[in-house]
């Protein structure tokens, strides 16, 4: 009878151990599947994903590291998008700043050209034309400076600009 009870205890122990083992491995397997799905979403470009941190084990450490990585990548992408937006605004501003003096130059030169035959006969028109030419020249010089600034900026933004270090 004692052998039978020991056999039953061992059978119960094996049964409960098997149930516990299956339950425990199922939890770990589900956690792996969750992490795997999250990593798949992450690889498809979803950087808003948050990995669940369950315990203080290796898998949870991996989930924490993945959360940090996705956060850092998202921060870097947001920074790059913001820099690209600023670059586009800067280029738009430069285009506007270049267009304004150019419009003035063209307008004043059109005025001089339309009054050119009259300017030979009329002293006042000749003086006005000289003023228009002076204004057009000043605007052209300003435009040249803006264009030089733009070229300087594009050189510093690209790899064309190289530093030549010298002792002073």
């Amino acid at each position: 009878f004692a052998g039978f009870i020991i056999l039953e205890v061992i059978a119960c122990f094996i049964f409960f151990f098997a149930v516990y083992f299956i339950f425990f491995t199922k939890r770990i397997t589900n956690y792996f599947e969750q992490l795997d799905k999250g990593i798949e979403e992450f690889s498809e470009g979803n950087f808003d994903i948050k990995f669940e941190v369950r315990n203080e084990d290796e898998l949870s450490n991996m989930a924490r590291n993945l959360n940090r990585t996705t956060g850092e990548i998202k921060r870097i992408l947001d920074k790059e998008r913001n820099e690209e937006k600023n670059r586009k605004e800067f280029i738009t501003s430069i285009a506007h700043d270049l267009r304004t003096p150019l419009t003035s130059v063209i307008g004043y030169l059109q005025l001089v050209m339309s009054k050119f035959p009259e300017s030979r006969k009329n002293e006042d028109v000749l003086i006005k034309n000289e003023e228009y030419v002076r204004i057009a020249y000043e605007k052209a010089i300003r435009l040249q400076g803006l264009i030089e600034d733009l070229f300087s900026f594009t050189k510093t933004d690209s790899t064309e600009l190289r530093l030549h270090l010298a002792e002073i």
Side-chain angles (χ1 to χ4, degrees), residues 70-86:
T70 57
E72 185 65 19
I73 289 175
K74 185 176 179 189
R75 186 189 65 75
I76 290 170
L77 287 175
D78 289 344
K79 181 180 175 188
E80 285 182 9
R81 286 183 191 120
N82 191 31
E83 287 174 355
E84 184 63 26
K85 178 184 166 206
N86 289 342

Side-chain angles (χ1 to χ4, degrees), residues 116-131:
F116 184 72
E118 300 171 18
S119 66
R120 293 184 186 160
K121 300 175 189 169
N122 189 340
E123 184 76 21
D124 291 334
V125 173
L126 185 59
I127 291 171
K128 281 284 189 201
N129 282 349
E130 286 177 12
E131 182 182 347

Side-chain angles (χ1 to χ4, degrees), residues 51-110:
F51 295 92
E52 180 184 352
V53 178
R54 290 186 179 174
N55 301 317
E56 291 298 322
D57 58 5
E58 291 80 11
L59 290 176
S60 296
N61 286 338
M62 186 173 74
R64 266 189 224 91
N65 289 334
L66 286 170
N67 284 334
R68 263 196 309 271
T69 302
T70 57
E72 185 65 19
I73 289 175
K74 185 176 179 189
R75 186 189 65 75
I76 290 170
L77 287 175
D78 289 344
K79 181 180 175 188
E80 285 182 9
R81 286 183 191 120
N82 191 31
E83 287 174 355
E84 184 63 26
K85 178 184 166 206
N86 289 342
R87 180 185 303 268
K88 287 179 182 179
E89 288 174 1
F90 178 71
I91 290 172
T92 302
S93 176
I94 287 177
H96 174 71
D97 287 348
L98 293 176
R99 190 178 300 130
T100 301
L102 187 60
T103 303
S104 297
V105 168
I106 291 170
Y108 281 116
L109 291 176
Q110 283 176 340

